Amino acid sequence: MNASSGEPSRPATRAAGGSVDAPPSSARADLPAIEVRRLGVRYNLRLTRRRTVRETFWNAFRRSNGPTHFWALRDVSFDVPHGETLAVIGPNGAGKSTLLQVLAGILRPNEGEVEVRGSVSSLLTLGAGFDQDLSGYDNILLAGAFLGIEHADMERRLPGIIEFADLGQFIDAPLRTYSAGMRARLGFAIATAVEPDVLIIDEVLATGDAAFREKSKARIVELMHAARAIVIVTHDMSWVREFCTRAMLLEAGRVVALGDPDEVATLHEARSAERQAQREAELRRQLGAVI
């Protein structure tokens, strides 16, 4: 995936399981599953929401000298070899979800290069691509169609997906009756059942009950042992330390640290505590000025 001019493009919405860009056999074990070089993603600040004509002209006049663009990611470079699980961590607004959307092919970068080799399965937004009026059973088949998987092959995978999701009788109920945790179960079961070369996950392991979270972690470990490359955004530092082989800390769209999970997680915790202390000190200062 090469850089393009203009703003990030948004292809058609994918099914909950993500997208398959190439058959699994196309992935070469001697090359990294993911290569990212000097990646940059830029957003237009004046196209962030709908406005009336009056608001548009007023804001254009008022902000004519202000910034017009925002770099969500800038100069980001890293590799993910087969069999590695990379944790992407950082404060809110650091660019973590934007990075995953680029890797999944949902956003196109404005600069740099991204190479993702082999089949890709992503679970970025719970329930994305699901049909609310269809049952869980039918949504599994629908996801398979979006993924380009043969109907007979998807039917072969059905029992395992249904068993892993553990939705009971709700598997035959419309998706609009599902809770967020139930959607997470179904989405995760589909995304990890298609045997991807690259799995991209955005903070879904924090959803659901404790038993399902443990089962999900066990499935991730299975994929790691099968030499799958995994990129996961998480705020769970214990998960980063225990299950990930590397970690990358993003702040303000740039890579602050990349390496040993424990060292990077510790750095993130220290910097987060420092920012919190600064916010509390500023709040006390403001309160003191008012009093």
Side-chain angles (χ1 to χ4, degrees):
M1 187 185 307
N2 295 323
S4 67
S5 60
E7 302 313 311
S9 61
R10 299 177 184 270
T13 302
R14 288 167 168 78
S19 64
V20 174
D21 295 333
S25 58
S26 68
R28 291 180 52 182
D30 59 327
L31 295 174
I34 299 172
E35 286 186 271
V36 177
R37 295 290 177 268
R38 301 185 67 83
L39 170 66
V41 176
R42 184 183 63 186
Y43 292 106
N44 189 330
L45 293 177
R46 296 182 179 178
L47 297 177
T48 56
R49 66 179 181 88
R50 292 183 178 179
R51 293 188 175 95
T52 65
V53 174
R54 182 178 180 181
E55 286 179 311
T56 299
F57 280 107
W58 170 248
N59 285 326
F61 173 77
R62 186 178 59 181
R63 297 169 51 191
S64 59
N65 296 323
T68 60
H69 295 87
F70 166 73
W71 286 95
L73 294 169
R74 199 77 192 269
D75 199 25
V76 174
S77 299
F78 64 93
D79 293 340
V80 182
H82 295 278
E84 178 172 283
T85 297
L86 174 68
V88 181
I89 60 178
N92 292 334
K96 305 184 296 297
S97 294
T98 297
L99 174 60
L100 295 197
Q101 291 181 65
V102 172
L103 297 181
I106 298 172
L107 292 181
R108 186 175 300 167
N110 296 93
E111 62 183 23
E113 296 182 353
V114 177
E115 183 74 25
V116 181
R117 299 182 175 92
S119 59
V120 180
S121 182
S122 64
L123 189 55
L124 304 183
T125 304
L126 300 180
F130 283 146
D131 189 316
Q132 304 303 310
D133 294 322
L134 294 181
S135 67
Y137 183 98
D138 290 333
N139 268 288
I140 295 173
L141 296 177
L142 178 64
F146 276 119
L147 290 165
I149 299 175
E150 294 289 340
H151 182 76
D153 188 12
M154 204 62 191
E155 284 194 324
R156 178 182 59 82
R157 301 170 193 260
L158 263 170
I161 295 174
I162 293 173
E163 179 182 1
F164 188 90
D166 193 21
L167 296 174
Q169 295 181 345
F170 276 95
I171 195 65
D172 295 314
L175 216 75
R176 62 174 179 272
T177 64
Y178 285 26
S179 66
M182 294 167 70
R183 291 168 188 264
R185 291 187 179 201
L186 185 61
F188 188 88
I190 295 171
T192 58
V194 297
E195 301 172 355
D197 293 301
V198 177
L199 179 63
I200 301 170
I201 304 177
D202 190 356
E203 198 59 83
V204 296
L205 296 181
T207 307
D209 56 32
F212 182 75
R213 288 197 298 270
E214 290 305 313
K215 186 163 64 170
S216 300
K217 291 178 180 180
R219 174 65 68 86
I220 293 292
V221 172
E222 289 178 11
L223 292 171
M224 290 171 56
H225 291 162
R228 310 297 183 185
I230 302 170
V231 180
I232 180 171
V233 162
T234 181
H235 291 282
D236 185 347
M237 295 303 106
S238 62
W239 164 257
V240 173
R241 291 183 169 98
E242 185 175 358
F243 294 102
C244 297
T245 54
R246 280 199 307 162
M248 179 169 66
L249 174 58
L250 287 179
E251 290 183 2
R254 294 181 179 271
V255 178
V256 174
L258 175 63
D260 178 76
D262 182 52
E263 293 179 1
V264 176
T266 299
L267 176 62
H268 172 51
E269 290 168 337
R271 292 170 72 94
S272 296
E274 181 180 352
R275 285 191 295 269
Q276 180 62 29
Q278 291 174 348
R279 287 192 293 267
E280 292 175 354
E282 176 62 19
L283 179 60
R284 287 194 297 269
R285 186 189 68 77
Q286 293 176 356
L287 290 174
V290 172
I291 296 174

